[in-house]
Amino acid sequence: MIETKGLRKSYPSGRRGQTVVDAVRGIDLDVRAGEIFGFLGPNGAGKTTTLRMLATLIRPDGGEALIAGADLLADPAEVRRRIGYVAQGGGTTDVVTAREELVLQARMYGTGKAEAQQRTEDALKAFDLTEFADRPCSTYSGGQRRRVDIALGVIHAPQVLFLDEPTVGLDPASRGQVWAEIKRLRTEGMTVVVTTHYLEEADALCDRVAIVDHGQVVAEGTSEALKREISGDVVLLGIAAGESGPAADALRDQPYLDRLELQGEDGLRLYLQDGAAAIPQLLRVLDGAGVVPRTVQLQRPSLDDVFLARTGRSIDQS
Ligand SMILES: Nc1ncnc2c1ncn2[C@@H]1O[C@H](COP(=O)(O)OP(=O)(O)O)[C@@H](O)[C@H]1O
Ligand SMILES: [Mg+2]
């Protein structure tokens, strides 16, 4: 549904625009029809820039893309007809009601008046907006407003929907509702591309994920496959202050250990295949070295571990 090759974008930067920021440095994507595709990365990774390029809002400096069969550079107008785009923060106006926004948006796509009203009626029902459809948007909760934003993005029945950080700032319940709406769109056959810096969102919502950092894709695949690549589990050991060095020395050569990292003075992060089976052994070795563990935590790999393995940083520290 979406295929990009080497998409690039730089911005002038510095006080007089004398330097450049390479916001997107050659991105190849392959998004399949009917999937929810996640674009996961820390702030500044280039997610919005990529999405805005794909949505024809800014022109790439280089590279190419085919979106729903239309060529991004040669035929942006056709791309625009086939996609919907919801900006970070959305596009609703305080004083306007959801019903008015929806009719207006449908009319903007050239829909006749009666048809626009019908589509609005359908959208209000589908997105469960009827109850407050005739109140100004300023009176909506964050979650209600986000649902209006998404309804606006699909009023012209696009094949692909781009959502930029659709759940930022929402409470967990509202976030769950937005996820449910996105999944419903998938059951209707729509392809959805979502950017996010929330690991749980990429994990729980997306069929496949591209992890981006500094304008490049550092990993791509299903959440499960990406985590499997990290191979195995992580055991977090909490020990007394100053003991992480001795503990690391004791454990370093254990055959079942793939890798080990110090976590400050009082902790170790151990990468191994089967954490549950290794824990008793680990404890014996530490005991032999006179190190008493205070806490032992077994973690299945997370997408943050994938990010860490590829970039050396945690996504939340970026
Ligand atoms: N209009 C702009 N002018 C200059 N730099 C920009 C502009 N938009 C984004 N950037 C820079 O490009 C990089 C990527 O930004 P962005 O695409 O917004 O990332 P994300 O959405 O992942 O947070 C950042 O370093 C950001 O500061
Ligand atoms: Mg952004």
Side-chain angles (χ1 to χ4, degrees):
M1 187 54 73
I2 301 174
E3 209 182 327
T4 78
K5 283 214 177 65
L7 271 193
R8 285 192 290 111
K9 183 74 192 176
S10 304
Y11 294 111
S13 148
R15 229 172 276 154
R16 272 167 268 114
Q18 69 278 49
T19 54
V20 293
V21 181
D22 295 322
V24 176
R25 300 186 296 159
I27 280 191
D28 302 344
L29 291 177
D30 190 1
V31 179
R32 296 166 199 163
E35 73 180 353
I36 301 175
F37 188 87
F39 214 51
L40 171 71
N43 283 325
K47 303 183 296 294
T48 296
T49 303
T50 304
L51 221 62
R52 289 174 61 84
M53 284 194 283
L54 295 176
T56 73
L57 297 171
I58 48 175
R59 196 176 165 83
D61 293 337
E64 50 193 75
L66 205 62
I67 299 166
D71 189 291
L72 179 65
L73 295 175
D75 201 357
E78 190 53 43
V79 170
R80 217 163 295 147
R81 270 189 286 277
R82 299 180 187 188
I83 64 160
Y85 171 78
V86 179
Q88 190 168 343
T92 50
T93 312
D94 275 353
V95 295
V96 177
T97 70
R99 188 188 303 278
E100 290 163 345
E101 289 274 28
L102 286 161
V103 171
L104 211 69
Q105 183 87 350
R107 297 283 280 156
M108 224 170 64
Y109 279 98
T111 314
K113 200 167 173 184
E115 170 74 11
Q117 277 165 350
Q118 187 55 53
R119 285 194 189 195
T120 295
E121 222 38 66
D122 296 345
L124 291 175
K125 275 202 204 84
F127 286 87
D128 202 12
L129 308 172
T130 313
E131 199 183 310
F132 50 85
D134 296 305
R135 275 180 7 215
C137 290
S138 59
T139 65
Y140 301 169
S141 72
Q144 291 171 336
R145 204 150 174 166
R146 237 42 287 256
R147 268 154 46 214
V148 177
D149 287 329
I150 298 174
L152 286 167
V154 299
I155 194 79
H156 57 301
Q159 297 181 52
V160 181
L161 176 65
F162 294 106
L163 297 172
D164 200 359
E165 309 245 12
T167 67
V168 159
L170 296 186
D171 59 83
S174 307
R175 179 175 296 179
Q177 273 189 337
V178 168
W179 289 357
E181 296 297 349
I182 296 172
K183 286 179 177 168
R184 183 174 60 74
L185 292 173
R186 175 179 57 190
T187 65
E188 292 171 4
M190 197 170 295
T191 307
V192 187
V193 178
V194 200
T195 74
T196 183
H197 66 275
Y198 295 128
L199 297 155
E200 330 81 73
E201 182 153 281
D203 220 346
L205 176 66
C206 300
D207 299 310
R208 285 190 316 126
V209 179
I211 302 183
V212 285
D213 188 38
H214 297 311
Q216 286 181 310
V217 175
V218 297
E220 195 197 326
T222 65
S223 177
E224 275 314 304
L226 287 170
K227 289 187 278 189
R228 239 190 342 264
E229 256 178 62
I230 290 304
S231 83
D233 301 336
V234 174
V235 171
L236 292 173
L237 281 179
I239 42 201
E243 297 231 305
S244 47
D249 291 340
L251 291 172
R252 192 160 279 129
D253 293 329
Q254 292 298 303
Y256 48 82
L257 203 64
D258 296 334
R259 200 151 61 81
L260 160 165
E261 279 167 16
L262 268 61
Q263 303 266 285
E265 296 228 309
D266 57 357
L268 287 182
R269 190 180 184 93
L270 311 174
Y271 294 84
L272 28 72
Q273 288 306 315
D274 187 350
I279 285 173
Q281 183 75 1
L282 287 170
L283 295 180
R284 270 197 300 278
V285 173
L286 289 175
D287 194 38
V291 176
V292 183
R294 303 211 295 200
T295 58
V296 182
Q297 238 181 309
L298 172 62
Q299 289 184 346
R300 300 284 306 132
S302 69
L303 284 178
D304 201 28
D305 295 308
V306 178
F307 190 79
L308 190 72
R310 297 296 170 102
T311 68
R313 308 188 317 282
S314 164
I315 209 164
D316 296 326
Q317 290 164 357
S318 299

